[in-house]
Amino acid sequence: MLPNFSYVRPKSLDEAVRHLDSPENRIHAGGTDLLGCLRERVFGVAKIVSLSGIQELKGITETAEGGLRIGALATLREIAESPLIRSKYPVLAQGAAEAASPQLRNQGTLGGNLCQKPRCWYYRGDFHCLRKGGDLCYAMVGENAFHCILGGDACYIVHPSDTAPALVALGATVRITGAGGPRTVPVEEFFVPPTQDLTRETVLEHNEILTEILLPPPPQGLRSSYRKVRARRSWDFALAGVALALQFRGEEVAGGRVVLSGAAPIPWRSVEVEEVILGKRLDAETISAAAEAVVKNAEPLAQNDYKLPLFRAIVEEELSAIAKV
Amino acid sequence: MTQKHEPGECRCSRGLTRRGFLSTVGAGVAVASAAGKLAAQPAASQGADVLPSAEMTPITLNINGRTHRLLVEPRWSLLFVLRERLGLTGTKVGCERGECGACTVLMDDLPRYACMTLAVEAQGSEITTLEGLMRGEELGGVQQAFVEEDAFQCGYCTPGQIMAVEGLLRAHPEPSQEEIQMGLSGNLCRCGAYVHIFKAAGRAAQLKRGQ
């Protein structure tokens, strides 16, 4: 049984923000992550503020500039099946399709997928770990097969989202509304690494709501893809993943981003790979150098050095595949 | 689609408990008094009512074509309400953390985990449970296919598997083998009857097409 809480389903954003007047009050979008955290007593809750009655948070529409506006409540299923997203931003449709299970994709939202809590078993379990205000990251010396190889610092979670790397790769932004008014943040700057602040995963304040995700118009020559490796085919979080959004000029990579999932506490932009491939044709030599570069700065823990060959392999395979599109 | 049953012939009504459940008929007084209590709650400046913690609140759920008015606590899952308040025990309790699929129901034709859905959030959706696939005393097409293909061993995951197939076929009446496997990827079977379950899904598609 879940802990006790009061519940409200406001009809407007303003009203929802007014209900977020305490950090004890929590936002419910799809609820799949929230209810899991409450059941596992990861955090407490006084009031649940449901967004499901707010129409303006729904829908996927083209913007006047030729980009896309995705309401934060668009479900992962809607993202995965949207003809617009599949044709213009395949990396995002693929990321959404690879996330969770059919049932969870029918319920979970894109906004919620960006705001989900870490999946570290010490964080989710009955451990008063560093991120929960304790003084030790149990993963540092404990069972750390599924933890990060990049960007760890005192805390070694991996970011669990499959859509976030796609959105970072595409240069998306999020719109946020709160008591202090609206603001826009690049998805790349939305996530907070442990080096910056151990106690939070995003820049979202307790009284703010992520309202929409904005995709820029696809640049000329854009090719994009998402690859995810997991322990079983049916459904699981990524052991290793790579989102590519590259702009080609002829056969040459003229720009774009390479973003990793399953690697770091935040969706991890691999500047090392980008530097190798920028301005180059994706021939065997370049691809081989890129595969080495992806783990150049990796610092694996005792049980997760298997991720190094995994990342090398998927970077090699995905770059080879995208070169042939 | 599900047939609508008259209250007197609804198979699910056997399991109903009088406590907590208010049938559509004769519920007026209790609902009115609970609503009166709600109105007295200070809402955030004229907006939606705040349902108080640990107190019973009247809600309306549309389940298998019938309207149910009942009292729930905000923290109750749809799974809890279906089984413990409405006696619809075809929906099974498994992991209760959105991983196994035993509690799969349809909401507006889409498979969902009832354990990860608050009952208060299910208002306004058409909910279909295993019981809702029955055609009177006869098995529905997906249920029949599971019997024909021997698609279970212990049977505990079976209702969830059947609901996942039902949801898949409502969206994709002629699924490919890969669509069947992906459609069932959110349902675990610890006996490992997957091969027969996948066959049953294909057979169910045939039965639904009248073949």
Coordinates of all heavy atoms in Angstrom, one line a residue, chain B residues 137-172:
Chain B
E137 N -21.7 -16.3 -20.9 CA -21.0 -17.4 -20.3 C -19.8 -17.9 -21.1 O -19.2 -18.9 -20.8 CB -22.0 -18.5 -20.0 CG -23.0 -18.2 -19.0 CD -22.4 -18.1 -17.6 OE1 -21.6 -19.0 -17.2 OE2 -22.7 -17.1 -16.9
E138 N -19.7 -17.4 -22.3 CA -18.6 -17.9 -23.2 C -17.3 -17.1 -23.1 O -17.3 -15.9 -22.8 CB -19.1 -17.8 -24.7 CG -20.1 -18.9 -25.0 CD -20.6 -18.8 -26.4 OE1 -19.8 -18.2 -27.3 OE2 -21.7 -19.2 -26.7
L139 N -16.2 -17.8 -23.4 CA -14.9 -17.1 -23.4 C -14.8 -16.2 -24.5 O -15.4 -16.5 -25.6 CB -13.8 -18.2 -23.5 CG -13.7 -19.2 -22.3 CD1 -12.6 -20.2 -22.6 CD2 -13.4 -18.4 -21.0
G140 N -14.1 -15.1 -24.3 CA -13.8 -14.2 -25.5 C -12.7 -14.9 -26.4 O -12.1 -15.9 -26.0
G141 N -12.5 -14.2 -27.5 CA -11.6 -14.8 -28.5 C -10.2 -15.1 -28.0 O -9.6 -16.1 -28.2
V142 N -9.6 -14.1 -27.2 CA -8.3 -14.3 -26.7 C -8.2 -15.4 -25.7 O -7.3 -16.2 -25.7 CB -7.7 -12.9 -26.2 CG1 -6.3 -13.1 -25.7 CG2 -7.8 -11.8 -27.2
Q143 N -9.2 -15.4 -24.8 CA -9.3 -16.4 -23.8 C -9.3 -17.8 -24.4 O -8.6 -18.8 -24.1 CB -10.5 -16.2 -22.9 CG -10.4 -14.9 -22.0 CD -11.7 -14.5 -21.5 OE1 -12.7 -14.3 -22.3 NE2 -11.8 -14.3 -20.2
Q144 N -10.2 -17.9 -25.4 CA -10.4 -19.2 -26.2 C -9.1 -19.7 -26.8 O -8.7 -20.8 -26.7 CB -11.5 -19.0 -27.2 CG -11.8 -20.3 -28.0 CD -12.3 -21.4 -27.1 OE1 -13.1 -21.1 -26.2 NE2 -12.0 -22.6 -27.4
A145 N -8.4 -18.7 -27.4 CA -7.1 -19.0 -28.0 C -6.1 -19.5 -27.0 O -5.3 -20.5 -27.3 CB -6.5 -17.8 -28.7
F146 N -6.0 -19.0 -25.8 CA -5.1 -19.4 -24.8 C -5.4 -20.9 -24.4 O -4.5 -21.7 -24.1 CB -5.1 -18.5 -23.6 CG -4.1 -17.4 -23.7 CD1 -4.3 -16.4 -24.6 CD2 -3.0 -17.3 -22.8 CE1 -3.3 -15.4 -24.7 CE2 -2.1 -16.3 -22.9 CZ -2.3 -15.3 -23.9
V147 N -6.7 -21.2 -24.3 CA -7.1 -22.6 -24.0 C -6.7 -23.5 -25.1 O -6.0 -24.6 -24.9 CB -8.6 -22.7 -23.8 CG1 -9.1 -24.2 -23.6 CG2 -9.1 -21.9 -22.6
E148 N -7.0 -23.1 -26.3 CA -6.7 -24.0 -27.5 C -5.2 -24.3 -27.6 O -4.8 -25.4 -28.0 CB -7.2 -23.4 -28.8 CG -8.7 -23.4 -29.0 CD -9.1 -22.8 -30.3 OE1 -8.3 -22.7 -31.2 OE2 -10.3 -22.4 -30.4
E149 N -4.4 -23.2 -27.4 CA -2.9 -23.4 -27.6 C -2.2 -23.8 -26.3 O -1.0 -23.8 -26.2 CB -2.3 -22.0 -28.1 CG -2.8 -21.6 -29.4 CD -2.4 -22.6 -30.6 OE1 -1.4 -23.3 -30.4 OE2 -3.0 -22.6 -31.6
D150 N -2.9 -24.1 -25.2 CA -2.3 -24.5 -24.0 C -1.2 -23.5 -23.5 O -0.1 -23.8 -23.2 CB -1.7 -25.9 -24.2 CG -1.3 -26.5 -22.8 OD1 -1.9 -26.1 -21.8 OD2 -0.5 -27.4 -22.8
A151 N -1.6 -22.2 -23.5 CA -0.7 -21.1 -23.3 C -0.4 -20.8 -21.9 O -0.2 -19.6 -21.6 CB -1.2 -19.9 -24.1
F152 N -0.3 -21.7 -21.0 CA 0.0 -21.5 -19.6 C 0.4 -22.7 -18.9 O 0.2 -23.8 -19.4 CB -1.2 -20.9 -18.9 CG -2.5 -21.5 -19.3 CD1 -2.8 -22.8 -18.8 CD2 -3.3 -20.9 -20.2 CE1 -4.0 -23.4 -19.1 CE2 -4.5 -21.5 -20.5 CZ -4.9 -22.7 -20.0
Q153 N 1.2 -22.6 -17.8 CA 1.4 -23.7 -17.0 C 0.7 -23.4 -15.6 O -0.4 -23.9 -15.4 CB 2.9 -23.9 -16.8 CG 3.5 -24.5 -18.1 CD 5.0 -24.9 -17.9 OE1 5.4 -25.3 -16.9 NE2 5.7 -24.7 -19.0
C154 N 1.3 -22.6 -14.8 CA 0.6 -22.3 -13.5 C -0.6 -21.4 -13.7 O -1.5 -21.5 -12.9 CB 1.6 -21.8 -12.5 SG 1.9 -20.0 -12.6
G155 N -0.6 -20.6 -14.7 CA -1.7 -19.7 -15.0 C -1.8 -18.4 -14.3 O -2.7 -17.6 -14.6
Y156 N -0.8 -18.1 -13.5 CA -1.0 -16.9 -12.7 C -0.8 -15.6 -13.6 O -1.5 -14.6 -13.4 CB 0.0 -16.8 -11.5 CG -0.3 -15.8 -10.5 CD1 -1.3 -16.0 -9.6 CD2 0.3 -14.5 -10.6 CE1 -1.6 -15.0 -8.7 CE2 0.0 -13.5 -9.6 CZ -1.0 -13.8 -8.7 OH -1.4 -12.8 -7.8
C157 N 0.1 -15.7 -14.5 CA 0.3 -14.5 -15.4 C -0.7 -14.4 -16.5 O -0.7 -13.4 -17.2 CB 1.7 -14.5 -16.0 SG 1.9 -15.7 -17.3
T158 N -1.5 -15.5 -16.6 CA -2.3 -15.6 -17.8 C -3.3 -14.4 -18.0 O -3.4 -13.9 -19.1 CB -3.1 -17.0 -17.8 OG1 -2.1 -18.0 -17.6 CG2 -3.8 -17.2 -19.1
P159 N -4.1 -14.0 -17.0 CA -5.0 -12.9 -17.2 C -4.3 -11.7 -17.8 O -4.8 -11.0 -18.7 CB -5.5 -12.6 -15.8 CG -5.4 -13.9 -15.1 CD -4.1 -14.5 -15.6
G160 N -3.1 -11.4 -17.2 CA -2.3 -10.2 -17.7 C -1.9 -10.4 -19.1 O -1.9 -9.5 -20.0
Q161 N -1.4 -11.6 -19.5 CA -1.0 -11.9 -20.8 C -2.2 -11.7 -21.8 O -2.1 -11.2 -22.9 CB -0.5 -13.4 -20.9 CG 0.6 -13.8 -20.0 CD 2.0 -13.4 -20.5 OE1 2.1 -12.7 -21.6 NE2 3.0 -13.7 -19.8
I162 N -3.4 -12.3 -21.4 CA -4.6 -12.2 -22.2 C -4.9 -10.7 -22.4 O -5.2 -10.3 -23.6 CB -5.7 -12.9 -21.6 CG1 -5.5 -14.4 -21.7 CG2 -7.1 -12.6 -22.2 CD1 -6.5 -15.3 -20.9
M163 N -4.8 -9.9 -21.4 CA -5.2 -8.5 -21.6 C -4.2 -7.8 -22.5 O -4.6 -6.9 -23.3 CB -5.3 -7.8 -20.2 CG -6.4 -8.3 -19.3 SD -8.0 -8.4 -20.1 CE -8.4 -6.7 -20.5
A164 N -2.9 -8.1 -22.4 CA -1.9 -7.5 -23.2 C -2.2 -7.9 -24.7 O -2.1 -7.1 -25.6 CB -0.5 -8.0 -22.8
V165 N -2.6 -9.2 -24.9 CA -2.9 -9.6 -26.3 C -4.2 -8.8 -26.8 O -4.2 -8.4 -27.9 CB -3.1 -11.1 -26.4 CG1 -3.7 -11.5 -27.7 CG2 -1.8 -11.9 -26.1
E166 N -5.2 -8.7 -25.9 CA -6.4 -8.0 -26.3 C -6.1 -6.6 -26.7 O -6.5 -6.1 -27.7 CB -7.4 -8.0 -25.1 CG -8.7 -7.3 -25.3 CD -9.6 -8.0 -26.3 OE1 -9.5 -9.3 -26.4 OE2 -10.4 -7.4 -26.9
G167 N -5.2 -5.9 -25.9 CA -4.8 -4.6 -26.3 C -4.1 -4.5 -27.6 O -4.3 -3.6 -28.4
L168 N -3.1 -5.5 -27.8 CA -2.4 -5.5 -29.0 C -3.3 -5.7 -30.2 O -3.1 -4.9 -31.2 CB -1.4 -6.7 -28.9 CG -0.6 -7.0 -30.2 CD1 0.4 -5.9 -30.5 CD2 0.1 -8.4 -30.2
L169 N -4.3 -6.6 -30.1 CA -5.1 -6.9 -31.2 C -6.1 -5.7 -31.5 O -6.5 -5.5 -32.7 CB -5.9 -8.2 -31.0 CG -5.0 -9.4 -31.0 CD1 -5.9 -10.7 -30.8 CD2 -4.1 -9.6 -32.2
R170 N -6.5 -5.0 -30.5 CA -7.3 -3.8 -30.8 C -6.6 -2.7 -31.6 O -7.2 -2.0 -32.3 CB -7.8 -3.2 -29.4 CG -8.9 -4.1 -28.8 CD -9.5 -3.5 -27.6 NE -10.4 -4.4 -26.9 CZ -11.2 -4.2 -25.9 NH1 -11.2 -2.9 -25.4 NH2 -12.0 -5.1 -25.4
A171 N -5.3 -2.7 -31.4 CA -4.5 -1.7 -32.1 C -4.0 -2.3 -33.5 O -3.9 -1.6 -34.5 CB -3.3 -1.2 -31.3
H172 N -3.6 -3.6 -33.4 CA -3.1 -4.2 -34.6 C -3.8 -5.6 -34.8 O -3.4 -6.6 -34.3 CB -1.6 -4.5 -34.4 CG -0.8 -3.3 -34.1 ND1 -0.4 -2.4 -35.1 CD2 -0.3 -2.8 -33.0 CE1 0.3 -1.4 -34.5 NE2 0.4 -1.6 -33.2

